[in-house]
Amino acid sequence: MAAAEPSSALERWALWANLVLPGSGMILVGALASGLLGGLVFAVCANFALAAVLLVPDDFSATAQALAIGTAAGAYVGAQVRCAGCVRAWRAQASERARRRLLWQSQELLDRGDAAQAAALLRPLVDEAPDDLLVTYRLAQALTVAGDVPGARAAWQQLRQLDCHGLYKQQILDGARLLGGL
C-alpha cells in the first residue's frame, strides 16, 4: 500500500504539532513514551547547539559547533520520522477498532434477523480488505440469510478461495447446501 495522506483531523494535527514541537505529535496519537523521549532528545541537542553556536561560541571549535547543529537537526528529523510511524500505527489501530465494531454490530443485526442491514454494514469492510476471512464469512452468512442467492454464492466462493487452511470448510459446505450448491 502506498503512503496515504492523513485521513483524520487528529492525524493532521499530530503531524503539524510535531513539526512545531518535536514529540508533541506522537503524544497526541497516544505514543507517550516515544513523544517524551523524542522531545527530550531534541531539546537537549537543540540546547547544546544553541549554547555552542550562540551563547558561548568561543568555548567550542567549529567542528564541535557543526556537530552540535548536525545532532540537533538529526534529532529533529528523527522525531518527524518517528511521528510518521506513530501516526501509521495509530491509523492501523483505529482501523482495527472500527473493523471489530462493525463485525460486532453485524453479528447483533444477524442475531435480530436483520440480515440485509448486516450485509450492508459488511460490504465496505469487504471492499477495504477483500482477503479478510472473518469479514467474508460474515458477509456470506448475512447474504445467505437475507436470501441474496447470487451475492451469497459469490461470497461463499470468495471465502473458499481465501480459506487455504480449511478453517471455514464446514461453514462453506453448509452454505453450499443451503444455497443448493456453489
Side-chain angles (χ1 to χ4, degrees):
M1 177 187 281
E5 287 188 24
S7 60
S8 75
L10 179 62
E11 292 175 32
R12 286 188 295 276
W13 273 105
L15 293 172
W16 281 105
N18 207 69
L19 287 172
V20 174
L21 184 62
S24 62
M26 293 177 261
I27 292 170
L28 281 174
V29 294
L32 184 63
S34 290
L36 291 174
L37 185 60
L40 179 65
V41 168
F42 173 72
V44 168
C45 292
N47 281 320
F48 181 68
L50 287 172
V53 174
L54 298 176
L55 297 178
V56 285
D58 295 337
D59 292 345
F60 294 93
S61 68
T63 303
Q65 290 176 347
L67 182 62
I69 292 170
T71 304
Y76 181 83
V77 169
Q80 303 316 312
V81 170
R82 181 68 185 129
C83 182
C86 290
V87 167
R88 278 191 301 275
W90 179 85
R91 183 184 305 145
Q93 291 168 355
S95 177
E96 180 59 25
R97 283 190 302 271
R99 175 188 172 271
R100 288 180 185 182
R101 187 184 71 251
L102 289 174
L103 282 168
W104 180 263
Q105 289 172 347
S106 69
Q107 185 60 49
E108 286 180 340
L109 288 167
L110 278 171
D111 291 344
R112 287 191 305 221
D114 193 356
Q117 184 65 30
L121 197 63
L122 289 167
R123 283 191 196 278
L125 280 178
V126 171
D127 293 341
E128 184 178 312
D131 58 343
D132 189 322
L133 278 173
L134 180 57
V135 173
T136 304
Y137 170 62
R138 287 279 166 81
L139 179 63
Q141 274 184 319
L143 292 172
T144 301
V145 173
D148 180 358
V149 175
R153 278 197 175 117
W156 286 113
Q157 287 171 352
Q158 176 69 17
L159 183 62
R160 180 186 289 161
Q161 290 173 354
L162 293 174
D163 190 18
C164 57
H165 297 292
L167 297 173
Y168 291 95
K169 184 177 182 179
Q170 187 59 49
Q171 291 85 345
I172 293 168
L173 292 173
D174 293 343
R177 189 173 52 250
L178 285 171
L179 297 171
L182 297 179

